[in-house]
Amino acid sequence: MSVSVEQMSSLYEQQGYLSGVGVLDPTELRQAREAFAQLERKFGTDYTGYSLHNVHMQYDWVMGLVKHPRVLEVVGAVLGQDVILLDSRFICKYPVTRGNRGADVIPYENGPGGEETNREERGEKEAGLPYVAWHQDMRYWGLDGGPVLSVWLALDDSLEDNGALQVIPGSHCSGMLPHRQSQRPGNMLSVNQEIPEELVQTDKAVLCPLLAGQMSLHDGLLVHASDPNMSDRRRCGFVIRYVPTCAYPIQDPDRPRHFHATVLVSGTDQYGHFSNSEDPQI
């Protein structure tokens, strides 16, 4: 049974996220993957893992993703019809093969009978591999006046074994939680922060698997994370962050941000809080 965008909006408000929303058809997905492969060949995978930031300003095909009608249909149902693209970034967790693991990293294997090893053993095997710690996006954005909505548009299948998104449903209702410097190596967050484990209700964590071409959406205050890629497959996604036009940047020394790549993607902007949000001509 299909779910209407109105039902999606209601569910998003209640739990703070949506997952498994279809966006790209097979042709669109193939074209996007081919275009991304060209960037991998041009820049190398060390760079494309996390450094393709705001390239919607450079490539028509990326701008097409941030303005995809299906993406904006669902985003508009949540944020309203006047929407600004705040920021975008490709994030890839590449498979870590035996040949390029550190000598102190133990290759992942399943436990007896094919079942996963226990938590401590798996933690040892994951040591130093790229992961994303439990955090809230709003901790880093220096915004007020409206919510931030983050989209993960999957270019690859995003499943448990290659580090799919995990969320704590309803945690967006708890306000901003304290963050601290992470002690565990491998955190992909640029400021290397995490929410202390004792404040995260990990027993309520929900995995958000996606097939390539699907997207998830989550609120800027939702507590979320992702584990290392323990598979032999790449996990690549396009993160797009949107805000309603009523949102505005604030001067917060703990969250110093500059927004140089904002674009009005839907409706009109009567506020003008982001000076460069006119649609760029590429």
Side-chain angles (χ1 to χ4, degrees):
M1 182 179 69
S2 62
V3 179
S4 69
V5 290
E6 291 79 12
Q7 290 172 310
M8 289 184 185
S9 177
S10 177
L11 186 59
Y12 182 92
E13 181 178 357
Q14 174 188 349
Q15 62 183 19
Y17 74 98
L18 297 171
S19 189
V21 180
V23 175
L24 302 179
D25 65 31
T27 299
E28 292 172 323
L29 176 61
R30 175 181 54 78
Q31 291 172 342
R33 287 170 59 93
E34 289 175 351
F36 187 81
Q38 292 180 7
L39 297 182
E40 288 180 314
R41 289 191 290 271
K42 179 178 181 179
F43 296 109
T45 56
D46 285 345
Y47 188 86
T48 56
Y50 196 73
S51 298
L52 289 172
H53 185 214
N54 287 331
V55 294
H56 62 271
M57 305 294 286
Q58 298 173 251
Y59 302 106
D60 287 339
W61 70 273
V62 184
M63 184 66 79
L65 295 179
V66 305
K67 292 184 173 181
H68 194 285
R70 179 56 170 166
V71 173
L72 295 184
E73 178 187 28
V74 182
V75 169
V78 173
L79 295 182
Q81 293 308 304
D82 298 330
V83 177
I84 285 176
L85 163 67
L86 185 69
D87 184 269
S88 75
R89 185 187 295 271
F90 285 96
I91 298 179
C92 285
K93 291 180 184 174
Y94 289 97
V96 183
T97 62
R98 186 181 299 269
N100 62 10
R101 291 176 187 262
D104 58 341
V105 177
I106 305 171
Y108 175 75
E109 296 173 353
N110 286 342
E115 296 179 358
E116 200 172 89
T117 55
N118 66 43
R119 187 180 183 90
E120 291 184 1
E121 290 173 337
R122 181 170 181 176
E124 292 177 359
K125 296 173 190 295
E126 293 176 352
L129 300 183
Y131 74 102
V132 177
W134 291 107
H135 71 287
Q136 296 166 298
D137 292 341
M138 282 297 289
R139 178 66 183 83
Y140 311 101
W141 286 105
L143 293 168
D144 208 341
V148 175
L149 181 155
S150 295
V151 166
W152 175 281
L153 179 57
L155 296 190
D156 299 326
D157 291 349
S158 181
L159 306 174
E160 182 174 13
D161 65 344
N162 67 347
L165 175 71
Q166 300 175 57
V167 303
I168 309 296
S171 57
H172 64 305
C173 297
S174 299
M176 188 74 72
L177 298 176
H179 289 61
R180 67 184 181 193
Q181 287 292 298
S182 176
Q183 300 301 308
R184 175 184 167 191
N187 188 5
M188 294 181 73
L189 293 175
S190 58
V191 292
N192 190 34
Q193 288 199 334
E194 66 180 2
I195 299 172
E197 187 172 348
E198 61 269 19
L199 299 180
V200 180
Q201 296 177 297
T202 54
D203 59 318
K204 296 183 178 179
V206 172
L207 189 75
C208 296
L210 296 172
L211 298 178
Q214 293 182 332
M215 71 173 174
S216 63
L217 308 85
H218 66 264
D219 184 87
L221 287 173
L222 188 78
V223 177
H224 62 289
S226 64
D227 286 335
N229 181 356
M230 306 301 291
S231 75
D232 58 0
R233 309 181 315 281
R234 185 187 71 178
R235 172 190 176 255
C236 182
F238 185 40
V239 177
I240 320 168
R241 294 188 170 95
Y242 300 96
V243 294
T245 56
C246 59
Y248 54 87
I250 58 175
Q251 297 301 317
D252 184 341
D254 291 330
R255 296 181 289 174
R257 294 304 301 257
H258 303 282
F259 304 103
H260 302 301
T262 57
V263 178
L264 180 67
V265 292
S266 177
T268 59
D269 181 8
Q270 61 177 313
Y271 301 96
H273 292 150
F274 299 90
S275 60
N276 60 321
S277 61
E278 294 298 319
D279 194 351
Q281 300 300 313
I282 299 181

